[in-house]
Amino acid sequence: MITTTNKEIIPVIKEQDVVPLRNRVRDYGVKVGMSILNQTKLITATSELVRNLLKYGGGGKVMVEEVTNGRDKGVRVTFIDNGPGIVDIDLAMRDGYSTGKSLGLGLPGTKRLVNEFDIKTEMGVGTTVTIIKWKNG
C-alpha cells in the first residue's frame, strides 16, 4: 500500500513555471535518496509531461508527493489539466506517435523512464497522468 509522507500542489500555467517545478521534483528525489540517474529519469519524465500539460491541456496543476510502499521510498508526480482530453489514448501510447514538437519521448518514452505510469482522460474534461519513480527503481 502506497502512503504519502509529504506533498505539495504546484500550479503550472506558463512556460516560466517549468524550471521551478523541475527543481521541486529534484528536491523530492534527493530527499528520498534517489541516485543521480533515477533523479534524471524522473526529471526528464516530468519535463515531457509538464510540456504536454501546457501545450495540450492549457496548463493545470502538478501534485508532487514523497511516497512509501513498505520500505521503498519514491516520488509520485501527478499532472492534472482541464484540457480537451486525448482522442485516442492507444494511439498516443504508441512509439513514434507525436502531434507536436516536444522532447521526442512521447508518452510511451516517458512511461519507460518511470516505474509506474497511469493515464486517465475524458473528452472535454481533461487528462490526469500519474507517475512514480521509486528510489531503487
Side-chain angles (χ1 to χ4, degrees):
M1 179 167 137
I2 297 174
T3 56
T4 300
T5 54
N6 187 22
K7 81 174 180 181
E8 64 185 283
I9 296 174
I10 302 166
V12 178
I13 51 174
K14 59 189 183 308
E15 190 70 30
Q16 290 80 359
D17 297 330
V18 172
V19 172
L21 172 66
R22 288 171 41 129
N23 291 340
R24 288 305 295 145
V25 170
R26 178 182 292 115
D27 292 344
Y28 274 72
V30 169
K31 188 172 181 194
V32 301
M34 210 175 268
S35 70
I36 295 291
L37 176 61
N38 283 340
Q39 288 176 47
T40 301
K41 288 178 179 181
L42 176 62
I43 292 163
T44 302
T46 296
S47 293
E48 181 78 5
L49 293 171
V50 77
R51 296 208 184 281
N52 285 354
L53 179 104
L54 284 166
K55 183 174 186 175
Y56 303 111
K61 59 186 175 183
V62 179
M63 184 167 50
V64 185
E65 301 169 90
E66 181 182 340
V67 293
T68 58
N69 187 2
R71 289 186 185 189
D72 214 359
K73 291 182 177 182
V75 178
R76 175 167 50 199
V77 188
T78 305
F79 303 81
I80 304 158
D81 72 53
N82 297 314
I86 299 170
V87 175
D88 187 339
I89 203 137
D90 291 332
L91 182 61
M93 291 304 298
R94 199 173 298 156
D95 275 322
Y97 178 77
S98 176
T99 58
K101 295 185 173 90
S102 64
L103 296 175
L105 293 172
L107 293 173
T110 302
K111 182 177 180 179
R112 285 191 290 273
L113 290 171
V114 297
N115 303 106
E116 297 183 31
F117 180 99
D118 181 67
I119 185 166
K120 291 178 176 56
T121 190
E122 188 175 336
M123 297 310 300
V125 175
T127 302
T128 299
V129 179
T130 303
I131 59 173
I132 298 177
K133 185 68 180 166
W134 295 107
K135 173 186 171 183
N136 297 317

